[in-house]
Amino acid sequence: MATPKDYAFMRRALELAQLAAERGEVPVGAVLVREGQVIGEGSNRPIGNCDPSAHAEIVALRRAADAEQNYRLPNTTLYVTIEPCTMCFGALMHARVGRLVFGANEPRAGVVESQLKLSEAGFFNHKISVESGVMAEEAGRLVREFFHDRR
């Protein structure tokens, strides 16, 4: 069940997504939190960074890992505006993120609920708890408007 803190951190992720849109990137924002403190955040940057892996989730994980000086990020929650793709979900698993909170589903590439349901797969040696749909309308609207304006 989503908490008031979940909504506060998701609002920050939405702010980051808006910044990505202003740079011409797909509007996705991510915030990584441990014990109520932001330890990493990011927004989509693959175009600007010329880096296909620079999704918001990866940027947030990289910043947190650098700040923590550890590639493992246990006891953390990642807030992201859109359901993660395969690459991002894999990175969350490798980092040992404990909880994922996301906004809107991504029907084509989302792998947590929409497609592969990787969060339910039994072959991983780590389990991430998932809370979906937090501020889904706001997150989905950002993406819809972004692509509508580009057409």
Side-chain angles (χ1 to χ4, degrees):
M1 177 102 178
T3 69
K5 284 187 179 184
D6 290 337
Y7 285 89
F9 290 121
M10 187 60 78
R11 276 191 285 282
R12 176 60 182 152
L14 286 165
E15 290 172 4
L16 293 164
Q18 182 60 48
L19 292 173
E22 291 168 9
R23 291 192 312 270
E25 303 272 5
V26 175
V28 180
V31 177
L32 190 68
V33 175
R34 180 185 287 132
E35 298 176 0
Q37 299 296 313
V38 174
I39 62 170
E41 59 181 30
S43 56
N44 266 2
R45 309 186 75 79
I47 298 167
N49 286 11
C50 298
D51 178 358
S53 70
H55 290 194
E57 300 96 321
I58 302 296
V59 173
L61 290 173
R62 285 179 179 156
R63 289 179 176 166
D66 187 53
E68 299 278 308
Q69 287 297 287
N70 194 341
Y71 74 109
R72 298 280 198 220
L73 301 164
N75 306 310
T76 56
T77 298
L78 182 80
Y79 296 88
V80 62
T81 56
I82 302 296
E83 179 181 8
C85 70
T86 308
M87 173 185 69
C88 293
F89 188 80
L92 296 176
M93 294 298 287
H94 287 290
R96 302 299 192 262
V97 169
R99 183 170 178 246
L100 168 66
V101 178
F102 71 88
N105 285 62
E106 212 302 353
R108 288 186 295 168
V111 299
V112 179
E113 292 181 350
S114 296
Q115 291 297 330
L116 300 176
K117 298 184 182 3
L118 289 179
S119 62
E120 299 171 17
F123 52 80
F124 290 114
N125 62 352
H126 176 68
K127 183 82 172 146
I128 298 174
S129 70
V130 176
E131 180 78 35
S132 63
V134 176
M135 302 185 78
E137 180 54 40
E138 296 89 331
R141 184 179 328 111
L142 269 176
V143 173
R144 284 190 306 276
E145 288 174 358
F146 176 80
F147 285 110
H148 178 267
D149 291 348
R150 292 185 65 134
R151 289 186 181 109

